[in-house]
Amino acid sequence: MMHIHKYESAFMRLAVMTLVIFAGAIAISVMGLGVHLPGAVEQIDPQQVSADPGFAEPGLRRVYEGRYIAHLVVEAWQFTPATLTVPAGSEVTFYLTSRDVIHGFKVFDTNINIMVIPGQIAEVTYTFDEPGEYQFYCHEYCGAAHHLMSGVIRVVE
Ligand code: CUA
């Protein structure tokens, strides 16, 4: 009996220790990184968006043939830039951040649908195979002119 009791208490100690370590790991990751929503990759001071080299001159940059990076500054009630043009077949990684309140970035005819939260840089990558005009808009209510927040990605032959 004594033997079993010892074994059980050692097991309990181990279980409690595991829980403590696990809770500690969660606490550290929440404190260290902030609570991240899907699509968010990096923290940024919403007051200092223009201090970030990517957002200082928002827009499209060609990395190499068929590969682009786009930085979009989002604020009430506009995307900057609101028009992007890429050749068909291009893979584009978008980085977006908000200067003020929560906005959204949804691109028609794609699976791009992310939240743009002040203080975070959201990232999403998509390959535009088909030529056409891909309208995008803000899908998080952000005030009086929310319904006017839109833009277009022109995918050309
Ligand atoms: Cu921005 Cu709705």
Side-chain angles (χ1 to χ4, degrees), residues 82 105-110 112 128 132-138 150-154:
F105 180 60
K106 183 169 171 62
V107 185
F108 277 113
D109 300 322
T110 74
I112 299 174
F128 294 90
E133 301 224 322
Y134 296 75
Q135 305 286 334
F136 60 84
Y137 65 100
C138 175
S150 63
V152 64
I153 300 155
R154 297 209 164 91

Side-chain angles (χ1 to χ4, degrees), residues 55-146:
F55 293 109
E57 289 178 55
L60 203 59
R61 283 170 187 78
R62 201 184 82 142
V63 183
Y64 50 81
E65 189 80 38
R67 188 72 177 94
Y68 290 83
I69 288 175
H71 283 81
L72 274 73
V73 174
V74 189
E75 61 203 305
W77 290 280
Q78 62 186 358
F79 293 91
T80 306
T83 305
L84 304 167
T85 304
V86 294
S90 297
E91 185 183 50
V92 184
T93 297
F94 297 89
Y95 295 99
L96 301 95
T97 196
S98 168
R99 282 192 204 275
D100 41 39
V101 297
I102 296 176
H103 299 278
F105 180 60
K106 183 169 171 62
V107 185
F108 277 113
D109 300 322
T110 74
N111 59 3
I112 299 174
N113 181 346
I114 57 174
M115 287 171 81
V116 184
I117 298 166
Q120 298 191 353
I121 298 173
E123 176 187 349
V124 63
T125 297
Y126 188 83
T127 302
F128 294 90
D129 286 323
E130 296 297 321
E133 301 224 322
Y134 296 75
Q135 305 286 334
F136 60 84
Y137 65 100
C138 175
H139 63 83
E140 291 290 332
Y141 183 74
C142 57
H146 156 72

Side-chain angles (χ1 to χ4, degrees), residues 37-58:
L37 290 160
V41 288
E42 227 180 290
Q43 304 295 303
I44 188 169
D45 181 347
Q47 309 298 322
Q48 300 292 326
V49 165
S50 295
D52 181 288
F55 293 109
E57 289 178 55

